[in-house]
Amino acid sequence: MYKDNFLKSVAKVTLTALMATGAVSTLSAKAGYSPVTDADIANDAKTVEDVVTYGLGQKGQRYSTLTQVNKDTVKNLVPVWNFSFGGEKQRGQEAQPLVKDGVMYVTASYSRMYAIDIATGEEIWQYDARLPSAILPCCDVINRGPALYDNLVIFGTLDAKLVALDRKTGKVKWKKKIASYKEGYSYTAAPLIVKGLLITGVSGGEFGVVGKVEARNPKTGKLVWSRPMVEGHMGYLNGKENGITGQTNASWPGDLWKHGGAAPWNGVTYDPDTDLIFVPTGNPAPWNSHDRPGDNLYSASRVAVNPDTGKIVWHFQTTPNDGWDYDGMAEFVAFEYKDKSGKMVKAGATADKNGFFYVLDRTTGKYIRSTPFVENITWAKGMDKNGRPIVNEDNRPGNPGDAKQGKTVYSTPSFLGGKNWNPMAFSQKTGLFYVPANEWGMDIWNKPVNYKKGAAYLGAGFTIKPTFKDHIGALKAIDPKTGKTKWTYKNNAPLWGGVLTTEGGLVFTGTPEGKLLAFDDETGKILWDFQVGTGIVSSPITWTENGEQYIAIVAGWGGAVPLWGGEVAKTVKYLNQGGSVHVFKLFKSK
């Protein structure tokens, strides 16, 4: 038996290697691969037999209309198969899988891509990017997922490249450089297809890069337009100048705008109703805000961009002159609600790193309301009528001047945020947002710093500390019409994964302790849990295959918390890394 199993393993490895070169056909039980069309992508939130976009739809609501797995049946959810990414490359696994034609496409740490047969859990092909040794990722060697278009699966790599692979074979169809990794650029987000264009951002704000969002032809990788997210830089459309972003030196002094950060490192969402791409932008560089007086546009903002031209339509800045690393990188989710007069409001919501939950008019960017969604916020006293924060300047880290460091302050939330990259979900059933929040603060101080290409450009030091003794993570059900929290689930370790909600009345998310949890969407009661054996810092999905509803989650502890988490990192150092996909469906007796 041992010999037979060994020979089968050797055969599988050999076959997989051949498939990666395009030498043999897929193992998939399904005979054909249908091209992923613009209509498929536009309708992803309404269809249930596949998942072809990051966010289960371009709006990023992460809401499924499926009801087979519901409050009554979820107790019968059982594992179908799991798949290991293998090797010693564990680290953080933050990917959301995509599913099409019986095949799952999922990325893993160190810029790897896998195609997996849904029917069997067997690998069809694997692609490993050849990464240089000098890559400069800020917050672990993670990847959050691919995009599907036509017969291609497309993802970004840690050395700031885009790679398009043949969905059947894993063979490279095209590869394009986004920017220079030697300057600190990298790429970790999932791309999004919008109106036949591949939309991407960049990472690297901690290295003084210039944030930008770009559109490419997904079939060839050819650049269509580029829009910098720091004022003063030129945009381009079809190879021609397309206007400077903002106005040079309007909110940036001197030459600091040349290395201004504002990286849109967490991807974008899109609203077809307003025909706008919503770009969340990261921190200004350096962190030391005394070096760059002014609002520092368009950092720490939500920026609405015309998908046809790359022109900025509106912006809303959540933390002007950010001095705490409160990136505005949290996703902006389009939704509707009726106001007190019964009028339907086209809104968008975002749960910012700075601890406030915002609702905006998504057509104009006009401020509607904001409320704190974490406890003990210190950096701001609230918002003015336009949503501009009333900053508590005593809680801004001190100006170091010629000293080695400035005054240390204790600020809440920490720079890892009231919510970080991990996406929230919006239920069309309950009208609530389910926000994976964290309760923590930080000692933070400023230090002198100068820009050097490819070197860290912070000008700050910090130590993160928990706000409460009994929990850090806090999954919160928030009513966007009032900002009030309906229920809270408290978790010992920080919540660093995304959320899924369904018409079946469920909310799914995972914990660093390794549990995939299903909650009652109205009460927050845990209805089901499963231990996957390693921390979960990814986003769950659901779909139907042959009439049965499936749930899938990627598992593998890592990401920014163990790297940057200070005292918090020490409290979760016992957690083990891993790298696997787990798939579930309802138990069906024969």
Side-chain angles (χ1 to χ4, degrees), residues 250-268:
S251 66
W252 287 86
D255 289 339
L256 283 169
W257 58 276
K258 293 181 179 180
H259 313 292
W265 57 264
N266 198 29
V268 304

Side-chain angles (χ1 to χ4, degrees), residues 162-325:
L162 289 170
V163 182
L165 307 173
D166 186 287
R167 283 172 49 207
K168 295 181 182 179
T169 65
K171 182 179 179 180
V172 176
K173 304 301 288 186
W174 59 259
K175 186 184 294 185
K176 296 291 182 181
K177 177 180 175 181
I178 299 174
S180 172
Y181 72 88
K182 294 181 179 179
E183 295 180 15
Y185 287 92
S186 58
Y187 189 89
T188 56
L192 189 70
I193 300 291
V194 174
K195 298 174 72 176
L197 295 172
L198 178 74
I199 309 299
T200 59
V202 290
S203 301
E206 275 63 50
F207 296 92
V209 304
V210 174
K212 58 181 177 178
V213 63
E214 295 183 323
R216 285 178 168 78
N217 182 327
K219 293 186 179 182
T220 65
K222 182 179 179 181
L223 185 66
V224 176
W225 55 255
S226 179
R227 173 54 52 191
M229 290 290 110
V230 180
E231 66 178 16
H233 295 269
M234 181 62 70
Y236 292 89
L237 175 63
N238 296 321
K240 298 179 180 179
E241 291 186 352
N242 192 32
I244 290 173
T245 296
Q247 182 180 344
T248 307
N249 291 137
S251 66
W252 287 86
D255 289 339
L256 283 169
W257 58 276
K258 293 181 179 180
H259 313 292
W265 57 264
N266 198 29
V268 304
T269 55
Y270 170 70
D271 172 39
D273 296 334
T274 57
D275 193 24
L276 292 173
I277 295 170
F278 302 119
V279 184
T281 64
N283 57 283
W287 285 20
N288 182 353
S289 60
H290 299 282
D291 282 354
R292 43 172 175 75
D295 284 356
N296 312 138
L297 292 176
Y298 291 87
S299 69
S301 299
R302 307 307 182 279
V303 183
V305 175
N306 183 309
D308 300 317
T309 65
K311 289 277 193 177
I312 293 175
V313 177
W314 60 255
H315 78 277
F316 181 87
Q317 190 172 41
T318 47
T319 313
N321 192 225
D322 176 18
W324 305 266
D325 189 43

Side-chain angles (χ1 to χ4, degrees), residues 305-365:
V305 175
N306 183 309
D308 300 317
T309 65
K311 289 277 193 177
I312 293 175
V313 177
W314 60 255
H315 78 277
F316 181 87
Q317 190 172 41
T318 47
T319 313
N321 192 225
D322 176 18
W324 305 266
D325 189 43
Y326 290 154
D327 305 49
M329 37 51 63
E331 70 286 358
F332 186 76
V333 179
F335 75 106
E336 286 78 38
Y337 72 91
K338 288 184 179 179
D339 63 16
K340 293 180 180 180
S341 67
K343 179 183 176 182
M344 188 66 71
V345 179
K346 289 186 176 181
T350 190
D352 200 81
K353 246 193 183 188
N354 69 21
F356 287 88
F357 182 90
Y358 295 83
V359 177
L360 309 178
D361 182 316
R362 70 176 189 262
T363 302
T364 63

Side-chain angles (χ1 to χ4, degrees), residues 78-84 90 93 509-517 528-538 540 551-557 575-584:
V78 295
V80 180
W81 52 259
N82 59 45
F83 175 90
S84 173
Q90 302 298 312
Q93 311 295 343
T509 197
T511 72
E513 293 92 341
K515 284 191 175 183
L516 178 61
L517 302 172
W528 175 88
D529 68 86
F530 187 88
Q531 174 59 247
V532 300
T534 179
I536 296 173
V537 290
S538 64
I551 308 289
I553 191 72
V554 175
W557 171 238
L575 297 172
N576 293 318
Q577 292 182 326
S580 53
V581 184
H582 297 259
V583 175
F584 305 84

